Amino acid sequence: MNKGSGLRVYAIVYLVFLYAPIILLPLFAFNDSRVIAFPLTGFTTGWFAAMWEDEQLFRALRNSLIISGSTAIFATTLGIFAARASTRYSFPGKSGLLGLIMLPLVLPEMIMAMSLLVVLLWIGIPLSIWTIILGHILICTPFAVAILSSAFQSLDKSLEEAAYDLGENAVSTFRLIILPLVMPGIVSSLLICFTISLDEFIIAYFLGGSDTPLSAYIYGQFRFPARVPAMLALGTILVGVSILLLSIAEYFRRRGLARTGAKDTGGFL
Amino acid sequence: MNPRPDMIEFQDVHKYYGDYHALRGITATIKAGEFFSLLGPSGCGKTTLLRTIAGFEGISSGAVMIDGKNMAGVPANVRPTNMVFQSYAIFPHLTVEQNVGFGLRKDPMSKDQKARAVAEALEMVGLKGYGARAAHALSGGQRQRVALARALILKPKVLLLDEPLSALDKKMREQMQVELIRLQRQVGITFILVTHDQEEALVMSDRIAVMFEGEIAQLADPETLYRRPNSKKVADFIGTMNFLPARIVSEAGGMVEVEAQGFGAMTLTTEQCAAAGADKAGAMVGFRPETLTILFDGQTATDRETMGTVAEVVYYGDMTYYDVKLDGTEVPMRLSMRNVFGRPVLDLGTRTRIAWSPGALVLFR
C-alpha cells in the first residue's frame, strides 16, 4: 500500500464518519419500528403521518419560520449597511469595528446565550420569540457581512460614478445599479441566515420563553422514545430543506459573480 | 483659424488630500471644440484635475469654470460634462442598448425617439446592430465604444476621457486613436483626454498640458512641445532627447553665445532657450535623435559637420537607431536614421561623419 492510497482511505473514513449519521436519519424515519436499531423491520410512511398530526409541532414550526424569516431580513439589512460602509468608505477605527462585528462568528454560542440571558433578565425583558430573534441576528450578521462584502467588493466604483455622471442621483443610482448587481448576494445572505437561524439550538433554548422553536421542540421530544421516529421524519425533511436553501444561495452567489464578471474568491460552498 | 470661445477655465485651482497637495495652482483655459490632453506620469494630478471638471472631486481653493459658469457647488449629475472611464464602467446587468440609453431615462422625448437616438449613437461608434447584446459579453474595444456612445448621446459640452485606451492592445489602441480623432471632428465637442502615453497625446491632441507633481509644466501644441520643451523634465518625458553639457559665454540682443561639448562654439536665439532657472545644475544643450544625420559616402553637410564612432546599433526595420559617441564627448548620443533601400546599416565601431545644425538645438539652463 503506498502513501497516496493510505490518505485516500483516511479521507473516505472521515467522510463516512461525517455523513453516516445523517444518512441514518431518513433510514429510520421510514423504518416500521419504534426502536432505533438494526435490523430494519419494514417500510412505513406512518411516522410522517404522525408528525403531520402533531399540532404542537406546527406551532413550533410557525415560531421557527417567524424567527428565521425575521432574523434573515434584519441580519441581511444590517449586513448591507456594514458591507457598504466597509467597502466604500474609510473612517477611523474601521478595521477594529469590523472585527467586532465579525467576532460572534468565533465566539462560543454558549457564552453569547448566557450573557444575553443575564442581560435580558436584568433589564426585565420577558423571553419570547423576539428575544430569540435578537440572539440570532447577533450570530447571523457576521455571515451576512461576509457574503455581502464580497458582493459589494466586486462592484467597480466607477459604475456608480458613471450612473451619477449620466444624471442619476444617489438614491436612483443605488436602485438602478448597485441593488441589481448585489441582489444575488442579498438573496444568498437571506437564505444562509435563514438556514443558520432555523438550525440553531443553544440560543433558541436559552432565550425562548413558552414559544419553543423547532430545534428546541425536537430536543424536548427526544425524552419520549415513542416520539423519536416522528422526529427523525421531521429531521429528514429539515435536512432536505437546508440542502436546498444552501444550494439556491450558492447558485445566486455564483450567478452574481458571473454577471459582474468578477473572479470567484470562494464562498461557503 | 477663427478664435474659439473658452470652454473650461481653471483659476488657480488647488486640491489637498489631508496634507498631500495634489493640485498646486492650476491656471489654464481649454477652448471650445478643442482636443485637449492632460499628460503626465502617474500621480501627477492629471486624473484629479479631470475629475474636478466632472464634479467627482471638490477643489480646496480656486475656481473651475465650464462655459463661463463657476462650477462650485454644482454636482456631477447636472454638469454639462460626460465621462468615459478607464474601466469603461459599462453596467454589466444591462444590454448594450440599455447602457447607451441610460442617460436618456429622464429625458422627456418619446420611446421611439430614444430608440432612434440610441441606434444613431451606436452607429456613430461602429456598433450598429449590437444593441440587444449583453454588455458583459463584449470585448474591451467594444466596451470602449459603448462607453463613448453612452457619453456622447447626451450631447455634453465637454467629453472627459480618463485613460480610455490604456487597457487595449497596441493595434486596437492605434485604431481607436484615429477613430477618436474622427469622432471629435464629427461631433465638434470639446474632448479632454487624460493619458500617460506621450505618443498618444502627440497623435491626438490640439494642445497638451504636461503635468508634474500637481503643476502644469508646459502647455502647448504637440509640435512646440516636441521641438521646444521648456524644461529638461518635459524634454525627457516627451520622446527621446540627448543632452550635452554646455557653457553660456555671453547673452545679448536675443542671441546667446554657447560653447557645447562636442559641438563647439555656436550662436543660439533666445527662442531656443528653455525658461531660465529650470535646471540649476549647469547648462545643457539638447537635441532629438532625428535632428542629427549620419553622412554616408559622398554626402555633404548643409550646415555643420562633426565626427563620431558608432557604439550601438538597434535595427527596427524602417528605422535604425545608432548610439554614436561624438568626438570630444563622453556619453553616446542616440541618433535615428530612416533606412533607405540600398544603403547598408553601419557596423559597430564605424567612424562616421555627422551633420548637425545649431537651429535644432535647445538650450536648458
Side-chain angles (χ1 to χ4, degrees), chain A residues 136-185:
Chain A
H136 280 184
I137 289 173
L138 215 56
I139 57 162
C140 285
T141 302
F143 288 93
V145 173
I147 295 165
L148 290 164
S149 289
S150 109
F152 275 98
Q153 210 118 53
S154 55
L155 210 61
D156 179 2
K157 190 184 176 205
S158 50
L159 289 176
E160 275 171 62
E161 287 183 341
Y164 206 59
D165 189 53
L166 294 167
E168 301 298 336
N169 57 36
V171 176
S172 59
T173 298
F174 191 82
R175 187 169 61 81
L176 294 168
I177 303 299
I178 302 173
L179 209 55
L181 288 174
V182 296
M183 192 45 92

Side-chain angles (χ1 to χ4, degrees), chain B residues 184-261:
Chain B
Q184 198 265 343
R185 282 191 194 131
Q186 187 185 333
V187 296
I189 291 171
T190 310
F191 276 33
I192 304 178
L193 172 81
V194 158
T195 181
H196 62 267
D197 182 343
Q198 46 96 13
E199 212 173 299
E200 186 172 298
L202 290 179
V203 168
M204 297 172 76
S205 322
D206 294 323
R207 285 195 305 154
I208 301 169
V210 183
M211 291 181 69
F212 295 114
E213 287 157 16
E215 283 174 295
I216 293 179
Q218 189 171 6
L219 198 168
D221 60 279
E223 205 186 336
T224 307
L225 267 187
Y226 188 78
R227 290 185 43 189
R228 295 274 182 263
N230 69 357
S231 67
K232 203 165 166 275
K233 224 170 164 184
V234 172
D236 258 338
F237 193 75
I238 293 173
T240 307
M241 191 161 246
N242 297 294
F243 296 101
L244 279 171
R247 192 171 61 85
I248 297 166
V249 179
S250 71
E251 195 172 351
M255 291 295 170
V256 188
E257 297 290 332
V258 177
E259 176 97 32
Q261 198 184 80

Side-chain angles (χ1 to χ4, degrees), chain A residues 50-69:
Chain A
M51 184 195 83
W52 193 254
E53 278 152 20
D54 187 346
E55 222 172 277
Q56 270 187 300
L57 186 147
F58 276 98
R59 208 169 313 133
L61 178 66
R62 196 197 54 142
N63 288 338
S64 267
L65 289 181
I66 294 172
I67 291 167
S68 303

Side-chain angles (χ1 to χ4, degrees), chain B residues 25-212:
Chain B
I26 303 288
T27 299
T29 52
I30 298 170
K31 305 231 169 283
E34 192 170 30
F35 200 128
F36 193 91
S37 289
L38 297 169
L39 172 67
S42 56
C44 72
K46 56 191 191 301
T47 297
T48 306
L49 190 60
L50 189 81
R51 289 167 62 85
T52 65
I53 306 173
F56 295 133
E57 299 284 354
I59 54 175
S60 307
S61 71
V64 176
M65 318 276 282
I66 301 179
D67 205 12
K69 286 189 204 76
N70 193 329
M71 285 292 125
V74 180
N77 53 358
V78 295
R79 290 197 184 190
T81 60
N82 283 110
M83 185 135 159
V84 173
F85 291 82
Q86 188 170 13
S87 63
Y88 313 142
I90 300 300
F91 306 130
H93 59 303
L94 302 179
T95 64
V96 168
E97 242 158 21
Q98 288 168 326
N99 264 285
V100 174
F102 192 85
L104 297 177
R105 205 173 68 87
K106 288 176 184 161
D107 197 290
M109 69 166 100
S110 74
K111 250 192 165 150
D112 279 357
Q113 283 174 304
K114 283 184 191 178
R116 217 170 308 131
V118 169
E120 271 170 28
L122 281 175
E123 193 171 348
M124 185 169 65
V125 297
L127 283 182
K128 196 179 174 183
Y130 280 71
R133 296 229 186 157
H136 65 82
L138 297 178
S139 72
Q142 290 167 336
R143 279 169 201 235
Q144 171 72 76
R145 288 160 200 265
V146 172
L148 270 169
R150 186 177 69 180
L152 286 173
I153 199 171
L154 297 177
K155 303 196 165 57
K157 286 180 178 165
V158 182
L159 184 74
L160 307 170
L161 302 126
D162 184 7
E163 306 231 13
L165 308 180
S166 59
L168 302 176
D169 61 53
K170 193 171 186 297
K171 266 239 162 70
M172 192 73 206
R173 194 159 62 227
E174 281 165 4
Q175 189 189 335
M176 279 309 290
Q177 284 174 1
V178 176
E179 268 191 61
L180 271 175
I181 298 169
R182 175 189 63 80
L183 224 111
Q184 198 265 343
R185 282 191 194 131
Q186 187 185 333
V187 296
I189 291 171
T190 310
F191 276 33
I192 304 178
L193 172 81
V194 158
T195 181
H196 62 267
D197 182 343
Q198 46 96 13
E199 212 173 299
E200 186 172 298
L202 290 179
V203 168
M204 297 172 76
S205 322
D206 294 323
R207 285 195 305 154
I208 301 169
V210 183
M211 291 181 69
F212 295 114

